[in-house]
Amino acid sequence: MRFSDLLDAARNHPLDVSIPAEWAQGRATFGGLVVALEYEALRAQVPADRPLRSLAITFVGPVAPDVPARYEVEVLREGKAVSQLLGRVVQNGETMTLVQASFGASRPSQIDVAAEPAPTFKHWDECQELPYVKGVTPEFMRHLAMRWSVGGLPFTGNKSREMGGWVRLRGDVKEEPLTEAHILALVDAWPPSVLPHLTQPAPGSTLTWTIEFVQPLQTLSTLDWCQYRVHIEHARDGYGHAAAQLWSPDGQLIAISRQSVVVFA
């Protein structure tokens, strides 16, 4: 099932959505997709003139594939310019994901600070792509393409603090404007940044994730390559802390992300 089809399901039937196993990540469903679907349920409850500014996500438990889940929304406060909402992904009567969302309309301001420039990467045609290999890589990777330009692939013993390259949807992709929902998938598609430090496979997953969006969004398509880079700030005792950014193909900042991850190695 295409990413766009699942987004439609979340918009139209948020209290009964099943994600097929082709979007699995181990025993769980790909977290970027789960959050994207919850975002669609949240978006439907906010005035259109208030774009998404930030999400704060806690992955409480794994959302199982092929099992119905409810994408619930609670409006916490509607201010003059900002809306605060809380989303819950509930499966089998248990909360599996919590999402706190802030939507905010633009306002006049004397402050105007440009983003720092994007890093210089090799062109995506010159970068190594991590292939989808059934039974080896996560199932959801059949739908997302990542091409490495910085750092190493998972489990290669590469000790770099940085990892990144280019990312976009792949497969039977419906070309449409790139939205916040797509961006969530592009950012979370990348493996935990500490996994290249290992020399053999071990499980790892995101514990908490915050992501902020630069509005208005760039005019991009779901077929465009976006540039991603993550920097490990600290890792010890089975936990890692990293900061990342996503840019458009021409180097315009799209989103700023932070993740705390757990690694069982």
Side-chain angles (χ1 to χ4, degrees), residues 57 75 89 91 102 127-128 143 150-151 153 159 170-171 173 177 179 190 219-220 223 226 243:
I57 303 120
V75 178
V89 182
Q91 191 174 65
S102 298
C127 297
Q128 178 184 5
H143 301 287
V150 175
L153 298 175
K159 301 297 184 180
R170 68 172 164 192
V173 179
T179 68
W190 292 82
T219 303
L220 297 173
L223 299 182
C226 291

Side-chain angles (χ1 to χ4, degrees), residues 219-239:
T219 303
L220 297 173
S221 155
T222 48
L223 299 182
D224 285 321
W225 287 99
C226 291
Q227 187 178 3
Y228 172 88
R229 183 182 64 182
V230 61
H231 176 81
I232 301 171
E233 295 181 329
H234 186 271
R236 183 181 295 164
D237 301 327
Y239 296 86

Side-chain angles (χ1 to χ4, degrees), residues 19 29-39 59 63 71 89 97 99:
I19 302 176
T29 300
F30 167 45
L33 174 58
V34 171
V35 178
L37 298 187
E38 181 60 50
Y39 161 73
F59 293 103
V63 176
Y71 290 78
V89 182
T97 305
V99 181

Side-chain angles (χ1 to χ4, degrees), residues 65-258:
D66 291 325
V67 178
R70 297 170 59 90
Y71 290 78
E72 300 177 350
V73 173
E74 177 184 356
V75 178
L76 302 177
R77 185 177 187 274
E78 287 275 8
K80 292 182 179 180
V82 175
S83 300
Q84 303 277 4
L85 294 88
L86 180 65
R88 294 181 181 86
V89 182
V90 180
Q91 191 174 65
N92 296 325
E94 298 183 3
T95 298
M96 296 301 183
T97 305
L98 285 172
V99 181
Q100 183 177 341
S102 298
F103 294 79
S106 298
R107 65 184 75 196
S109 176
Q110 299 179 44
I111 301 170
D112 187 353
V113 181
E116 294 183 351
T120 300
F121 283 179
K122 293 185 295 184
H123 190 273
W124 52 81
D125 286 337
E126 302 175 14
C127 297
Q128 178 184 5
E129 184 168 320
L130 182 61
Y132 164 69
V133 181
K134 187 172 180 60
V136 178
T137 56
E139 283 299 302
F140 79 86
M141 284 189 56
R142 70 176 74 191
H143 301 287
L144 288 139
M146 288 166 281
R147 296 188 177 180
W148 257 252
S149 180
V150 175
L153 298 175
F155 316 124
T156 57
N158 187 303
K159 301 297 184 180
S160 173
R161 281 182 175 264
E162 293 191 339
M163 179 181 70
W166 302 93
V167 60
R168 51 155 283 185
L169 296 176
R170 68 172 164 192
D172 183 18
V173 179
K174 178 181 178 182
E175 185 172 9
E176 56 190 353
L178 195 75
T179 68
E180 290 90 344
H182 300 102
I183 292 165
L184 289 164
L186 297 185
V187 171
D188 198 48
W190 292 82
S193 53
V194 294
L195 292 189
H197 287 228
L198 302 177
T199 56
Q200 57 185 5
S205 62
T206 301
L207 182 64
T208 62
W209 178 22
T210 60
I211 181 167
E212 301 166 6
F213 295 84
V214 176
Q215 298 287 359
L217 292 183
Q218 303 295 313
T219 303
L220 297 173
S221 155
T222 48
L223 299 182
D224 285 321
W225 287 99
C226 291
Q227 187 178 3
Y228 172 88
R229 183 182 64 182
V230 61
H231 176 81
I232 301 171
E233 295 181 329
H234 186 271
R236 183 181 295 164
D237 301 327
Y239 296 86
H241 309 277
Q245 297 85 31
L246 187 76
W247 296 269
S248 66
D250 63 353
Q252 300 300 308
L253 184 64
I254 297 173
I256 303 166
S257 171
R258 286 193 59 85

Side-chain angles (χ1 to χ4, degrees), residues 48-68:
D49 63 348
R50 298 187 178 189
L52 179 64
R53 299 292 172 173
S54 68
L55 295 176
I57 303 120
T58 299
F59 293 103
V60 181
V63 176
D66 291 325
V67 178

